Amino acid sequence: MDLSFVILIEMLYAVATLVLISAGLAVVFGMMKVINLAHGEFMMLGGYATITATSLGVNVFVAMLVIAPLIVGLIGLVVERLVIRHLYGRLVDTMLATWGLSLFFIGAATMIFGNTTTGISTPIPGFAVGAYQINGYNFFIILVAIALVLVLLAVLKGSRAGLIARGAMQRSDMAAALGYSPDRIYMATFFCGSALSGLAGAVLAPLVGLVPTSGGAYIAKSFITVIAGGPALIAGLISSATSFGIVSQIFTFAVSPVMGEVALLVAAVILLRLMPQGITSRFFKGKL
């Protein structure tokens, strides 16, 4: 029973991690059709914002849940105004521009913070379950992921702002005809996507040693999760994160963590071969 409980928690943690690292990209890529290759660097900036804020005496939870998303969101706002807004509808140009941005952020972080590994300790201690030890911070990550999905669902489906944003992404000309500014809607949406990326990087910062190139560890998983999810934003995010998280943890416990990562990539290849348009192109049709 103890082992079963530990495996269940680790599976939920793996799913929650994939949801967190992919939510910001799901908004930017899934809604706006912007291929943001600097997504990992936005997460890295969220981690550094958290570490810097805590070193200045700010409560670690305030730094993770408020300050880091706000700072990264503002950085994303500047990026959207200066670069991205000129490239909407030009996928290749957007890829090149965001790849250049990722290199810029890595270089800037290296100059400011150095190329050494830094980090913060987990604010929630672990505890024993029989003969096994569980990281108590994993529960916090699971709760944050659940809250994030509920907030996204409430905003995109239940609020006027969310409905306007979704409508503008599908038919910007109709949104303009109804008196809404597509330019401002795109700006606000990119701000929210960047803030979600910063939140993910901040929440995961206590678990990893942070270096300026840390974003590279997340970019592949986040793109795989979002693309495999298909056209539905939230349903696709949850279904693909659940599928890949469970597969990864099964192989992690059965073989090794390295095989867990390999199994995730193999599962993604097989899934996309069977369902090229993603999970929600065949299942959960009509869901958000």
Side-chain angles (χ1 to χ4, degrees):
M1 288 298 294
D2 293 341
L3 179 59
S4 299
F5 178 74
V6 170
I7 293 175
L8 175 62
I9 294 302
E10 290 300 317
M11 285 185 175
L12 290 175
Y13 164 72
V15 173
T17 301
L18 288 176
V19 169
L20 278 176
I21 68 175
S22 305
L25 188 66
V27 171
V28 173
F29 177 55
M31 287 182 63
M32 303 177 67
K33 307 305 178 188
V34 173
I35 301 178
N36 182 18
L37 295 182
H39 170 70
E41 280 62 48
F42 281 118
M43 291 183 59
M44 175 267 293
L45 293 174
Y48 275 117
T50 300
I51 293 172
T52 303
T54 53
S55 67
L56 295 175
V58 179
N59 179 272
V60 63
F61 293 107
V62 174
M64 286 190 297
L65 302 177
V66 179
I67 294 178
L70 182 59
I71 290 176
V72 178
L74 292 175
I75 293 174
L77 189 65
V78 174
V79 167
E80 197 277 340
R81 289 289 85 189
L82 296 179
V83 180
I84 304 298
R85 74 186 185 102
H86 302 290
L87 303 174
Y88 289 126
R90 298 157 56 185
L91 293 181
V92 175
D93 294 342
T94 305
M95 290 174 61
L96 291 173
T98 53
W99 177 62
L101 283 170
S102 71
L103 297 179
F104 169 77
F105 286 138
I106 291 173
T110 302
M111 288 190 296
I112 296 172
F113 301 104
N115 202 26
T116 57
T117 302
T118 184
I120 54 176
S121 58
T122 54
I124 301 175
F127 58 92
V129 177
Y132 304 96
Q133 188 75 15
I134 292 182
N135 187 350
Y137 192 70
N138 290 2
F139 288 94
F140 176 72
I141 290 178
I142 294 170
L143 291 176
V144 170
I146 293 173
L148 177 60
V149 170
L150 293 177
V151 169
L152 280 175
L153 187 62
V155 170
L156 293 176
K157 191 173 184 179
S159 71
R160 180 180 177 86
L163 294 175
I164 291 172
R166 289 166 56 198
M169 298 304 143
Q170 296 176 18
R171 288 293 301 272
S172 58
D173 55 342
M174 289 298 295
L178 292 172
Y180 300 105
S181 171
D183 185 60
R184 292 183 179 179
I185 294 171
Y186 271 76
M187 177 181 67
T189 305
F190 197 86
F191 169 83
C192 293
S194 302
L196 290 176
S197 301
L199 172 66
V203 171
L204 295 176
L207 297 177
V208 297
L210 199 64
V211 293
T213 56
S214 295
Y218 303 113
I219 189 69
K221 287 183 181 180
S222 55
F223 266 102
I224 287 171
T225 304
V226 172
I227 293 172
L233 179 65
I234 297 177
L237 180 65
I238 294 174
S239 58
S240 61
T242 301
S243 302
F244 295 149
I246 291 175
V247 168
S248 175
Q249 285 303 306
I250 288 175
F251 278 86
T252 295
F253 276 102
V255 187
S256 69
V258 174
M259 284 305 299
E261 298 291 322
V262 173
L264 187 153
L265 297 176
V266 172
V269 172
I270 295 173
L271 189 149
L272 290 174
R273 176 64 181 87
L274 298 175
M275 291 178 280
Q277 302 301 317
I279 296 173
T280 53
S281 65
R282 182 172 299 181
F283 307 102
F284 310 110
K285 289 185 176 180
K287 300 295 183 181
L288 175 62

